[in-house]
Amino acid sequence: VQTIRDLLDHQAMSLVTTEKELPMALKSLKNPPDLVVTDSQAFAEVSKMVPENVALTSFSILFARYKGDLQKFVEGAEQIKNLKPGDRVLVAESCSHHPIEDDIGRIKIPLWLNQFVGGPIHYDTIQGHDFPSDLSVYKLVIHCGACMFNPKQMVNRQCWCEAAGVPMTNYGVLIAEINGILERVALPLLKSA
């Protein structure tokens, strides 16, 4: 909703559709869109539908750029190649929502990351304003899009991680790296920063 509001405020046209209707929506346009924004969880499917000459990103990656330092999030995601089964990872959420059955931070990301690494990782999850003072026990911090935080709060968390020598990324950036499309979905935003 925040993204659509920003598009309206900047007199940009937007078309909202589901993944299922995306091919039809793209075909119905006279000119290709300048940018396709998807939910990060749909990257695997949507990246195959969107032509390579059309910029693609996700809401979570837009928020990574808006709320924090996208370059540092990208560098953090690239560190998943160094993770091993048994490593400890912190999953941080800025809001205190009630987890659902197929929760992205508690179910999906751990499943995808365990598959990527080749074995189980130990996950700690925090919500809201809680953030551990000792980050040294973690190999990686994975943060939500931080829609409930202001940029200062997100940058502070990035600074704390950097001071502790612990890489930090966000949900969308991590999912893009796992799907092998990080350069495609983050590079256009890094160039325009």
Side-chain angles (χ1 to χ4, degrees), residues 64-189:
R65 181 174 179 244
Y66 173 55
K67 301 282 181 134
D69 185 330
L70 178 57
Q71 181 62 48
K72 288 181 182 175
F73 281 132
V74 168
E75 292 166 6
E78 291 169 346
Q79 293 303 310
I80 68 170
K81 297 172 184 128
N82 300 324
L83 290 175
K84 298 179 289 303
D87 282 345
R88 202 161 167 192
V89 169
L90 176 66
V91 178
E93 297 179 332
S94 61
C95 65
S96 56
H97 72 282
H98 294 290
I100 57 174
E101 181 180 327
D102 208 14
D103 191 76
I104 186 168
R106 289 169 179 77
I107 306 297
K108 290 182 177 181
I109 286 177
L111 176 68
W112 295 328
L113 195 51
N114 289 347
Q115 289 172 345
F116 185 89
V117 171
I121 290 174
H122 176 81
Y123 298 93
D124 293 330
T125 304
I126 55 144
Q127 290 182 292
H129 293 282
D130 294 335
F131 206 72
S133 57
D134 181 13
L135 295 168
S136 66
V137 298
Y138 298 107
K139 296 290 186 182
L140 179 67
V141 174
I142 306 169
H143 208 288
C144 69
C147 63
M148 302 300 291
F149 274 8
N150 63 44
K152 183 179 180 184
Q153 290 170 300
M154 190 71 255
V155 170
N156 282 342
R157 285 191 173 184
Q158 284 187 291
C159 289
W160 296 332
C161 288
E162 189 173 12
V166 179
M168 181 182 195
T169 191
N170 95 338
Y171 286 10
V173 177
L174 176 84
I175 294 168
E177 176 69 10
I178 288 171
N179 280 283
I181 60 171
L182 181 55
E183 186 172 316
R184 178 181 183 193
V185 300
L187 193 59
L189 296 175

Side-chain angles (χ1 to χ4, degrees), residues 20-94:
K20 184 178 176 182
E21 297 158 334
L22 178 59
M24 183 176 63
L26 291 171
K27 286 179 187 173
S28 72
L29 297 172
K30 181 179 177 183
N31 298 309
D34 293 318
L35 176 66
V36 172
V37 182
T38 185
D39 186 297
S40 301
Q41 297 176 70
F43 266 149
E45 184 180 358
V46 171
S47 65
K48 293 173 188 167
M49 295 181 217
V50 176
E52 287 289 328
N53 65 328
V54 174
L56 172 67
T57 196
S58 73
F59 295 104
S60 184
I61 292 175
L62 289 175
F63 269 81
R65 181 174 179 244
Y66 173 55
K67 301 282 181 134
D69 185 330
L70 178 57
Q71 181 62 48
K72 288 181 182 175
F73 281 132
V74 168
E75 292 166 6
E78 291 169 346
Q79 293 303 310
I80 68 170
K81 297 172 184 128
N82 300 324
L83 290 175
K84 298 179 289 303
D87 282 345
R88 202 161 167 192
V89 169
L90 176 66
V91 178
E93 297 179 332
S94 61

